[in-house]
Amino acid sequence: DAGVIQSPRHEVTEMGQEVTLRCKPISGHDYLFWYRQTMMRGLELLIYFNNNVPIDDSGMPEDRFSAKMPNASFSTLKIQPSEPRDSAVYFCASSSRLGGGFIRSTDTQYFGPGTRLTVL
Amino acid sequence: KQEVTQIPAALSVPEGENLVLNCSFTDSAIYNLQWFRQDPGKGLTSLLLIQSSQREQTSGRLNASLDKSSGRSTLYIAASQPGDSATYLCAVIRGGSNYKLTFGKGTLLTVNP
């Protein structure tokens, strides 16, 4: 498997523009996570999905952020309108529930390479 | 709210030295603790996962310990190599139906040849 794929790898945009980040999880994984990493706050979970359904979006900073997962192989994180303080590296990760049931404490997450977003 | 702290923030050692990275967490009600490695411009790679019922895990030159009661974990790297240079992050998780990792800010390790 190619691992978790994210695009674009780098994005530079101007304040006020819409930004869409994309993620393709590992085939067969039914959990997908979006994280944001900054120097000040470290790595923070924004939202996660199970079987394409959003489970916990309490980490989404504000209404300008939205995430969708239309099918098992694709997810987007959208920022509209973007602001300079959104500049960060955004990671996508996926995981599977081996054997079904609730995700177990032994199930690790596999991270993509990240998208570095710069909002001018 | 769970907080995870890693000390030191940066560490530089000569090749061959044994070293210890530290991680502390405020809420001891965790299901597991993981250590990750992050290389510049890349995502995170899971190194070791310790379940709450375990005291330690080993993989090659890496050994991670967990003391839930004191809210501490250590990552021991034996005979360090330049290829070990990276940022090491620890993360704790409350499992069950709510699967959320809380990360520390990491320790930047540099191993000098």
Side-chain angles (χ1 to χ4, degrees), chain A residues 32-62:
Chain A
L32 184 140
F33 307 81
W34 281 101
Y35 291 90
R36 179 173 67 176
Q37 186 177 39
T38 62
M39 289 292 292
M40 287 293 294
R41 301 175 66 90
L43 199 64
E44 301 174 290
L45 178 66
L46 300 177
I47 184 173
Y48 78 92
F49 295 83
N50 174 222
N51 289 327
N52 313 336
V53 176
I55 302 300
D56 188 333
D57 65 354
S58 59
M60 296 285 264
E62 49 196 276

PDB file of all heavy atoms in Angstrom, chain A residues 32-62:
ATOM      1  N   LEU A  32     -10.504   7.859  10.128  1.00  0.00           N
ATOM      2  CA  LEU A  32      -9.677   8.889   9.508  1.00  0.00           C
ATOM      3  C   LEU A  32      -9.634  10.104  10.421  1.00  0.00           C
ATOM      4  O   LEU A  32     -10.663  10.512  10.976  1.00  0.00           O
ATOM      5  CB  LEU A  32     -10.236   9.283   8.130  1.00  0.00           C
ATOM      6  CG  LEU A  32      -9.390  10.292   7.353  1.00  0.00           C
ATOM      7  CD1 LEU A  32      -9.329   9.932   5.868  1.00  0.00           C
ATOM      8  CD2 LEU A  32      -9.874  11.710   7.534  1.00  0.00           C
ATOM      9  N   PHE A  33      -8.428  10.652  10.571  1.00  0.00           N
ATOM     10  CA  PHE A  33      -8.187  11.750  11.513  1.00  0.00           C
ATOM     11  C   PHE A  33      -7.545  12.919  10.780  1.00  0.00           C
ATOM     12  O   PHE A  33      -6.686  12.723   9.919  1.00  0.00           O
ATOM     13  CB  PHE A  33      -7.236  11.297  12.621  1.00  0.00           C
ATOM     14  CG  PHE A  33      -7.647  10.033  13.336  1.00  0.00           C
ATOM     15  CD1 PHE A  33      -7.385   8.790  12.786  1.00  0.00           C
ATOM     16  CD2 PHE A  33      -8.292  10.095  14.552  1.00  0.00           C
ATOM     17  CE1 PHE A  33      -7.756   7.621  13.437  1.00  0.00           C
ATOM     18  CE2 PHE A  33      -8.673   8.928  15.220  1.00  0.00           C
ATOM     19  CZ  PHE A  33      -8.400   7.694  14.655  1.00  0.00           C
ATOM     20  N   TRP A  34      -7.945  14.121  11.135  1.00  0.00           N
ATOM     21  CA  TRP A  34      -7.279  15.341  10.668  1.00  0.00           C
ATOM     22  C   TRP A  34      -6.636  16.035  11.868  1.00  0.00           C
ATOM     23  O   TRP A  34      -7.290  16.285  12.884  1.00  0.00           O
ATOM     24  CB  TRP A  34      -8.258  16.304  10.006  1.00  0.00           C
ATOM     25  CG  TRP A  34      -8.635  15.962   8.609  1.00  0.00           C
ATOM     26  CD1 TRP A  34      -9.785  15.361   8.183  1.00  0.00           C
ATOM     27  CD2 TRP A  34      -7.868  16.226   7.423  1.00  0.00           C
ATOM     28  NE1 TRP A  34      -9.783  15.224   6.812  1.00  0.00           N
ATOM     29  CE2 TRP A  34      -8.615  15.745   6.322  1.00  0.00           C
ATOM     30  CE3 TRP A  34      -6.631  16.820   7.177  1.00  0.00           C
ATOM     31  CZ2 TRP A  34      -8.169  15.845   5.002  1.00  0.00           C
ATOM     32  CZ3 TRP A  34      -6.179  16.910   5.874  1.00  0.00           C
ATOM     33  CH2 TRP A  34      -6.947  16.432   4.803  1.00  0.00           C
ATOM     34  N   TYR A  35      -5.327  16.355  11.724  1.00  0.00           N
ATOM     35  CA  TYR A  35      -4.568  17.048  12.763  1.00  0.00           C
ATOM     36  C   TYR A  35      -3.980  18.337  12.200  1.00  0.00           C
ATOM     37  O   TYR A  35      -3.762  18.472  10.995  1.00  0.00           O
ATOM     38  CB  TYR A  35      -3.392  16.193  13.242  1.00  0.00           C
ATOM     39  CG  TYR A  35      -3.746  14.953  14.023  1.00  0.00           C
ATOM     40  CD1 TYR A  35      -3.952  13.741  13.361  1.00  0.00           C
ATOM     41  CD2 TYR A  35      -3.846  14.967  15.409  1.00  0.00           C
ATOM     42  CE1 TYR A  35      -4.250  12.586  14.072  1.00  0.00           C
ATOM     43  CE2 TYR A  35      -4.142  13.819  16.124  1.00  0.00           C
ATOM     44  CZ  TYR A  35      -4.345  12.633  15.443  1.00  0.00           C
ATOM     45  OH  TYR A  35      -4.639  11.492  16.157  1.00  0.00           O
ATOM     46  N   ARG A  36      -3.675  19.248  13.110  1.00  0.00           N
ATOM     47  CA  ARG A  36      -2.953  20.460  12.758  1.00  0.00           C
ATOM     48  C   ARG A  36      -1.742  20.588  13.671  1.00  0.00           C
ATOM     49  O   ARG A  36      -1.865  20.367  14.890  1.00  0.00           O
ATOM     50  CB  ARG A  36      -3.865  21.687  12.915  1.00  0.00           C
ATOM     51  CG  ARG A  36      -3.202  23.007  12.600  1.00  0.00           C
ATOM     52  CD  ARG A  36      -4.193  24.158  12.607  1.00  0.00           C
ATOM     53  NE  ARG A  36      -4.741  24.435  13.929  1.00  0.00           N
ATOM     54  CZ  ARG A  36      -5.562  25.449  14.186  1.00  0.00           C
ATOM     55  NH1 ARG A  36      -5.929  26.256  13.201  1.00  0.00           N
ATOM     56  NH2 ARG A  36      -6.030  25.645  15.388  1.00  0.00           N
ATOM     57  N   GLN A  37      -0.597  20.967  13.099  1.00  0.00           N
ATOM     58  CA  GLN A  37       0.626  21.109  13.885  1.00  0.00           C
ATOM     59  C   GLN A  37       1.195  22.505  13.733  1.00  0.00           C
ATOM     60  O   GLN A  37       1.453  22.964  12.620  1.00  0.00           O
ATOM     61  CB  GLN A  37       1.674  20.072  13.474  1.00  0.00           C
ATOM     62  CG  GLN A  37       2.916  20.068  14.354  1.00  0.00           C
ATOM     63  CD  GLN A  37       3.898  18.972  13.959  1.00  0.00           C
ATOM     64  OE1 GLN A  37       4.109  18.689  12.801  1.00  0.00           O
ATOM     65  NE2 GLN A  37       4.483  18.316  14.965  1.00  0.00           N
ATOM     66  N   THR A  38       1.400  23.192  14.857  1.00  0.00           N
ATOM     67  CA  THR A  38       2.052  24.494  14.877  1.00  0.00           C
ATOM     68  C   THR A  38       3.125  24.480  15.953  1.00  0.00           C
ATOM     69  O   THR A  38       3.115  23.634  16.849  1.00  0.00           O
ATOM     70  CB  THR A  38       1.051  25.627  15.195  1.00  0.00           C
ATOM     71  OG1 THR A  38       0.499  25.396  16.504  1.00  0.00           O
ATOM     72  CG2 THR A  38      -0.082  25.678  14.182  1.00  0.00           C
ATOM     73  N   MET A  39       4.038  25.430  15.851  1.00  0.00           N
ATOM     74  CA  MET A  39       5.105  25.517  16.847  1.00  0.00           C
ATOM     75  C   MET A  39       4.524  25.818  18.223  1.00  0.00           C
ATOM     76  O   MET A  39       4.960  25.267  19.233  1.00  0.00           O
ATOM     77  CB  MET A  39       6.110  26.598  16.454  1.00  0.00           C
ATOM     78  CG  MET A  39       6.963  26.237  15.261  1.00  0.00           C
ATOM     79  SD  MET A  39       8.095  24.893  15.629  1.00  0.00           S
ATOM     80  CE  MET A  39       9.180  25.703  16.802  1.00  0.00           C
ATOM     81  N   MET A  40       3.534  26.692  18.249  1.00  0.00           N
ATOM     82  CA  MET A  40       2.996  27.137  19.537  1.00  0.00           C
ATOM     83  C   MET A  40       2.160  26.053  20.222  1.00  0.00           C
ATOM     84  O   MET A  40       2.275  25.854  21.427  1.00  0.00           O
ATOM     85  CB  MET A  40       2.139  28.397  19.326  1.00  0.00           C
ATOM     86  CG  MET A  40       2.932  29.641  19.033  1.00  0.00           C
ATOM     87  SD  MET A  40       3.915  30.151  20.461  1.00  0.00           S
ATOM     88  CE  MET A  40       2.619  30.583  21.611  1.00  0.00           C
ATOM     89  N   ARG A  41       1.318  25.383  19.476  1.00  0.00           N
ATOM     90  CA  ARG A  41       0.327  24.484  20.068  1.00  0.00           C
ATOM     91  C   ARG A  41       0.646  23.001  19.867  1.00  0.00           C
ATOM     92  O   ARG A  41      -0.028  22.140  20.426  1.00  0.00           O
ATOM     93  CB  ARG A  41      -1.053  24.801  19.513  1.00  0.00           C
ATOM     94  CG  ARG A  41      -1.501  26.237  19.775  1.00  0.00           C
ATOM     95  CD  ARG A  41      -2.830  26.520  19.078  1.00  0.00           C
ATOM     96  NE  ARG A  41      -3.914  25.734  19.652  1.00  0.00           N
ATOM     97  CZ  ARG A  41      -4.673  26.146  20.667  1.00  0.00           C
ATOM     98  NH1 ARG A  41      -4.434  27.324  21.231  1.00  0.00           N
ATOM     99  NH2 ARG A  41      -5.645  25.389  21.121  1.00  0.00           N
ATOM    100  N   GLY A  42       1.685  22.715  19.066  1.00  0.00           N
ATOM    101  CA  GLY A  42       2.006  21.315  18.818  1.00  0.00           C
ATOM    102  C   GLY A  42       0.995  20.671  17.886  1.00  0.00           C
ATOM    103  O   GLY A  42       0.398  21.334  17.041  1.00  0.00           O
ATOM    104  N   LEU A  43       0.779  19.387  18.065  1.00  0.00           N
ATOM    105  CA  LEU A  43      -0.098  18.605  17.208  1.00  0.00           C
ATOM    106  C   LEU A  43      -1.465  18.484  17.881  1.00  0.00           C
ATOM    107  O   LEU A  43      -1.564  17.974  18.994  1.00  0.00           O
ATOM    108  CB  LEU A  43       0.519  17.228  16.983  1.00  0.00           C
ATOM    109  CG  LEU A  43       0.035  16.399  15.800  1.00  0.00           C
ATOM    110  CD1 LEU A  43       0.382  17.084  14.487  1.00  0.00           C
ATOM    111  CD2 LEU A  43       0.671  15.021  15.840  1.00  0.00           C
ATOM    112  N   GLU A  44      -2.512  18.911  17.171  1.00  0.00           N
ATOM    113  CA  GLU A  44      -3.858  18.905  17.741  1.00  0.00           C
ATOM    114  C   GLU A  44      -4.807  18.158  16.820  1.00  0.00           C
ATOM    115  O   GLU A  44      -4.781  18.362  15.605  1.00  0.00           O
ATOM    116  CB  GLU A  44      -4.387  20.327  17.884  1.00  0.00           C
ATOM    117  CG  GLU A  44      -3.563  21.243  18.752  1.00  0.00           C
ATOM    118  CD  GLU A  44      -4.106  22.660  18.701  1.00  0.00           C
ATOM    119  OE1 GLU A  44      -3.974  23.303  17.644  1.00  0.00           O
ATOM    120  OE2 GLU A  44      -4.666  23.113  19.720  1.00  0.00           O
ATOM    121  N   LEU A  45      -5.666  17.344  17.414  1.00  0.00           N
ATOM    122  CA  LEU A  45      -6.693  16.661  16.635  1.00  0.00           C
ATOM    123  C   LEU A  45      -7.818  17.645  16.316  1.00  0.00           C
ATOM    124  O   LEU A  45      -8.353  18.294  17.207  1.00  0.00           O
ATOM    125  CB  LEU A  45      -7.248  15.476  17.424  1.00  0.00           C
ATOM    126  CG  LEU A  45      -8.370  14.695  16.759  1.00  0.00           C
ATOM    127  CD1 LEU A  45      -7.875  13.982  15.512  1.00  0.00           C
ATOM    128  CD2 LEU A  45      -8.976  13.693  17.734  1.00  0.00           C
ATOM    129  N   LEU A  46      -8.175  17.711  15.046  1.00  0.00           N
ATOM    130  CA  LEU A  46      -9.260  18.602  14.624  1.00  0.00           C
ATOM    131  C   LEU A  46     -10.592  17.865  14.582  1.00  0.00           C
ATOM    132  O   LEU A  46     -11.594  18.306  15.133  1.00  0.00           O
ATOM    133  CB  LEU A  46      -8.966  19.194  13.251  1.00  0.00           C
ATOM    134  CG  LEU A  46      -7.700  20.037  13.128  1.00  0.00           C
ATOM    135  CD1 LEU A  46      -7.503  20.489  11.688  1.00  0.00           C
ATOM    136  CD2 LEU A  46      -7.765  21.240  14.050  1.00  0.00           C
ATOM    137  N   ILE A  47     -10.596  16.706  13.901  1.00  0.00           N
ATOM    138  CA  ILE A  47     -11.817  15.946  13.709  1.00  0.00           C
ATOM    139  C   ILE A  47     -11.447  14.526  13.355  1.00  0.00           C
ATOM    140  O   ILE A  47     -10.362  14.291  12.810  1.00  0.00           O
ATOM    141  CB  ILE A  47     -12.685  16.575  12.584  1.00  0.00           C
ATOM    142  CG1 ILE A  47     -14.034  15.855  12.421  1.00  0.00           C
ATOM    143  CG2 ILE A  47     -11.928  16.588  11.263  1.00  0.00           C
ATOM    144  CD1 ILE A  47     -14.992  16.554  11.447  1.00  0.00           C
ATOM    145  N   TYR A  48     -12.326  13.562  13.676  1.00  0.00           N
ATOM    146  CA  TYR A  48     -12.100  12.226  13.148  1.00  0.00           C
ATOM    147  C   TYR A  48     -13.417  11.574  12.712  1.00  0.00           C
ATOM    148  O   TYR A  48     -14.488  11.916  13.210  1.00  0.00           O
ATOM    149  CB  TYR A  48     -11.298  11.344  14.109  1.00  0.00           C
ATOM    150  CG  TYR A  48     -12.018  10.749  15.291  1.00  0.00           C
ATOM    151  CD1 TYR A  48     -12.601   9.486  15.211  1.00  0.00           C
ATOM    152  CD2 TYR A  48     -12.039  11.415  16.514  1.00  0.00           C
ATOM    153  CE1 TYR A  48     -13.205   8.917  16.306  1.00  0.00           C
ATOM    154  CE2 TYR A  48     -12.654  10.855  17.615  1.00  0.00           C
ATOM    155  CZ  TYR A  48     -13.224   9.603  17.513  1.00  0.00           C
ATOM    156  OH  TYR A  48     -13.835   9.027  18.615  1.00  0.00           O
ATOM    157  N   PHE A  49     -13.287  10.687  11.749  1.00  0.00           N
ATOM    158  CA  PHE A  49     -14.405   9.987  11.125  1.00  0.00           C
ATOM    159  C   PHE A  49     -14.292   8.490  11.394  1.00  0.00           C
ATOM    160  O   PHE A  49     -13.191   7.946  11.491  1.00  0.00           O
ATOM    161  CB  PHE A  49     -14.380  10.184   9.596  1.00  0.00           C
ATOM    162  CG  PHE A  49     -14.595  11.587   9.133  1.00  0.00           C
ATOM    163  CD1 PHE A  49     -13.540  12.497   9.092  1.00  0.00           C
ATOM    164  CD2 PHE A  49     -15.841  12.011   8.703  1.00  0.00           C
ATOM    165  CE1 PHE A  49     -13.721  13.785   8.645  1.00  0.00           C
ATOM    166  CE2 PHE A  49     -16.036  13.305   8.240  1.00  0.00           C
ATOM    167  CZ  PHE A  49     -14.970  14.194   8.220  1.00  0.00           C
ATOM    168  N   ASN A  50     -15.441   7.847  11.470  1.00  0.00           N
ATOM    169  CA  ASN A  50     -15.520   6.399  11.492  1.00  0.00           C
ATOM    170  C   ASN A  50     -16.527   5.970  10.435  1.00  0.00           C
ATOM    171  O   ASN A  50     -17.679   6.412  10.475  1.00  0.00           O
ATOM    172  CB  ASN A  50     -15.932   5.896  12.873  1.00  0.00           C
ATOM    173  CG  ASN A  50     -16.168   4.393  12.895  1.00  0.00           C
ATOM    174  OD1 ASN A  50     -17.129   3.906  13.495  1.00  0.00           O
ATOM    175  ND2 ASN A  50     -15.302   3.636  12.253  1.00  0.00           N
ATOM    176  N   ASN A  51     -16.092   5.125   9.526  1.00  0.00           N
ATOM    177  CA  ASN A  51     -16.979   4.703   8.422  1.00  0.00           C
ATOM    178  C   ASN A  51     -17.636   5.901   7.743  1.00  0.00           C
ATOM    179  O   ASN A  51     -18.842   5.907   7.482  1.00  0.00           O
ATOM    180  CB  ASN A  51     -18.039   3.727   8.934  1.00  0.00           C
ATOM    181  CG  ASN A  51     -17.451   2.373   9.277  1.00  0.00           C
ATOM    182  OD1 ASN A  51     -16.492   1.920   8.645  1.00  0.00           O
ATOM    183  ND2 ASN A  51     -17.994   1.735  10.290  1.00  0.00           N
ATOM    184  N   ASN A  52     -16.821   6.924   7.474  1.00  0.00           N
ATOM    185  CA  ASN A  52     -17.210   8.121   6.730  1.00  0.00           C
ATOM    186  C   ASN A  52     -18.100   9.072   7.532  1.00  0.00           C
ATOM    187  O   ASN A  52     -18.511  10.111   7.004  1.00  0.00           O
ATOM    188  CB  ASN A  52     -17.929   7.774   5.425  1.00  0.00           C
ATOM    189  CG  ASN A  52     -17.221   6.696   4.624  1.00  0.00           C
ATOM    190  OD1 ASN A  52     -16.024   6.505   4.770  1.00  0.00           O
ATOM    191  ND2 ASN A  52     -17.963   5.996   3.793  1.00  0.00           N
ATOM    192  N   VAL A  53     -18.391   8.758   8.777  1.00  0.00           N
ATOM    193  CA  VAL A  53     -19.258   9.604   9.603  1.00  0.00           C
ATOM    194  C   VAL A  53     -18.407  10.381  10.610  1.00  0.00           C
ATOM    195  O   VAL A  53     -17.580   9.782  11.299  1.00  0.00           O
ATOM    196  CB  VAL A  53     -20.298   8.753  10.359  1.00  0.00           C
ATOM    197  CG1 VAL A  53     -21.130   9.627  11.287  1.00  0.00           C
ATOM    198  CG2 VAL A  53     -21.180   7.988   9.388  1.00  0.00           C
ATOM    199  N   PRO A  54     -18.583  11.711  10.707  1.00  0.00           N
ATOM    200  CA  PRO A  54     -17.827  12.470  11.703  1.00  0.00           C
ATOM    201  C   PRO A  54     -18.235  12.073  13.108  1.00  0.00           C
ATOM    202  O   PRO A  54     -19.413  12.076  13.448  1.00  0.00           O
ATOM    203  CB  PRO A  54     -18.171  13.930  11.389  1.00  0.00           C
ATOM    204  CG  PRO A  54     -19.472  13.870  10.658  1.00  0.00           C
ATOM    205  CD  PRO A  54     -19.486  12.575   9.910  1.00  0.00           C
ATOM    206  N   ILE A  55     -17.241  11.728  13.934  1.00  0.00           N
ATOM    207  CA  ILE A  55     -17.513  11.261  15.291  1.00  0.00           C
ATOM    208  C   ILE A  55     -17.273  12.367  16.315  1.00  0.00           C
ATOM    209  O   ILE A  55     -18.048  12.542  17.252  1.00  0.00           O
ATOM    210  CB  ILE A  55     -16.656  10.031  15.637  1.00  0.00           C
ATOM    211  CG1 ILE A  55     -16.912   8.899  14.654  1.00  0.00           C
ATOM    212  CG2 ILE A  55     -16.918   9.577  17.069  1.00  0.00           C
ATOM    213  CD1 ILE A  55     -18.349   8.422  14.607  1.00  0.00           C
ATOM    214  N   ASP A  56     -16.177  13.072  16.158  1.00  0.00           N
ATOM    215  CA  ASP A  56     -15.816  14.111  17.123  1.00  0.00           C
ATOM    216  C   ASP A  56     -15.160  15.264  16.378  1.00  0.00           C
ATOM    217  O   ASP A  56     -14.085  15.099  15.824  1.00  0.00           O
ATOM    218  CB  ASP A  56     -14.865  13.542  18.175  1.00  0.00           C
ATOM    219  CG  ASP A  56     -14.607  14.512  19.323  1.00  0.00           C
ATOM    220  OD1 ASP A  56     -14.697  15.742  19.118  1.00  0.00           O
ATOM    221  OD2 ASP A  56     -14.299  14.041  20.429  1.00  0.00           O
ATOM    222  N   ASP A  57     -15.829  16.395  16.348  1.00  0.00           N
ATOM    223  CA  ASP A  57     -15.268  17.588  15.677  1.00  0.00           C
ATOM    224  C   ASP A  57     -14.990  18.688  16.687  1.00  0.00           C
ATOM    225  O   ASP A  57     -14.918  19.863  16.323  1.00  0.00           O
ATOM    226  CB  ASP A  57     -16.186  18.074  14.566  1.00  0.00           C
ATOM    227  CG  ASP A  57     -17.525  18.576  15.102  1.00  0.00           C
ATOM    228  OD1 ASP A  57     -17.768  18.444  16.315  1.00  0.00           O
ATOM    229  OD2 ASP A  57     -18.321  19.106  14.308  1.00  0.00           O
ATOM    230  N   SER A  58     -14.825  18.322  17.937  1.00  0.00           N
ATOM    231  CA  SER A  58     -14.640  19.324  18.983  1.00  0.00           C
ATOM    232  C   SER A  58     -13.331  20.097  18.842  1.00  0.00           C
ATOM    233  O   SER A  58     -13.176  21.165  19.412  1.00  0.00           O
ATOM    234  CB  SER A  58     -14.690  18.666  20.369  1.00  0.00           C
ATOM    235  OG  SER A  58     -13.685  17.685  20.498  1.00  0.00           O
ATOM    236  N   GLY A  59     -12.399  19.570  18.065  1.00  0.00           N
ATOM    237  CA  GLY A  59     -11.140  20.258  17.858  1.00  0.00           C
ATOM    238  C   GLY A  59     -11.141  21.239  16.701  1.00  0.00           C
ATOM    239  O   GLY A  59     -10.174  21.978  16.519  1.00  0.00           O
ATOM    240  N   MET A  60     -12.198  21.276  15.936  1.00  0.00           N
ATOM    241  CA  MET A  60     -12.281  22.226  14.818  1.00  0.00           C
ATOM    242  C   MET A  60     -12.348  23.625  15.400  1.00  0.00           C
ATOM    243  O   MET A  60     -13.265  23.949  16.181  1.00  0.00           O
ATOM    244  CB  MET A  60     -13.521  21.931  13.970  1.00  0.00           C
ATOM    245  CG  MET A  60     -13.466  20.572  13.309  1.00  0.00           C
ATOM    246  SD  MET A  60     -12.335  20.533  11.917  1.00  0.00           S
ATOM    247  CE  MET A  60     -13.498  20.807  10.575  1.00  0.00           C
ATOM    248  N   PRO A  61     -11.416  24.497  15.019  1.00  0.00           N
ATOM    249  CA  PRO A  61     -11.284  25.790  15.704  1.00  0.00           C
ATOM    250  C   PRO A  61     -12.480  26.721  15.557  1.00  0.00           C
ATOM    251  O   PRO A  61     -12.815  27.428  16.482  1.00  0.00           O
ATOM    252  CB  PRO A  61     -10.014  26.385  15.095  1.00  0.00           C
ATOM    253  CG  PRO A  61      -9.763  25.628  13.848  1.00  0.00           C
ATOM    254  CD  PRO A  61     -10.369  24.298  14.012  1.00  0.00           C
ATOM    255  N   GLU A  62     -13.106  26.741  14.417  1.00  0.00           N
ATOM    256  CA  GLU A  62     -14.248  27.636  14.225  1.00  0.00           C
ATOM    257  C   GLU A  62     -14.976  27.265  12.953  1.00  0.00           C
ATOM    258  O   GLU A  62     -14.580  26.351  12.238  1.00  0.00           O
ATOM    259  CB  GLU A  62     -13.764  29.090  14.186  1.00  0.00           C
ATOM    260  CG  GLU A  62     -12.596  29.346  13.275  1.00  0.00           C
ATOM    261  CD  GLU A  62     -11.933  30.684  13.568  1.00  0.00           C
ATOM    262  OE1 GLU A  62     -12.400  31.713  13.055  1.00  0.00           O
ATOM    263  OE2 GLU A  62     -10.933  30.694  14.297  1.00  0.00           O
TER     264      GLU A  62
END
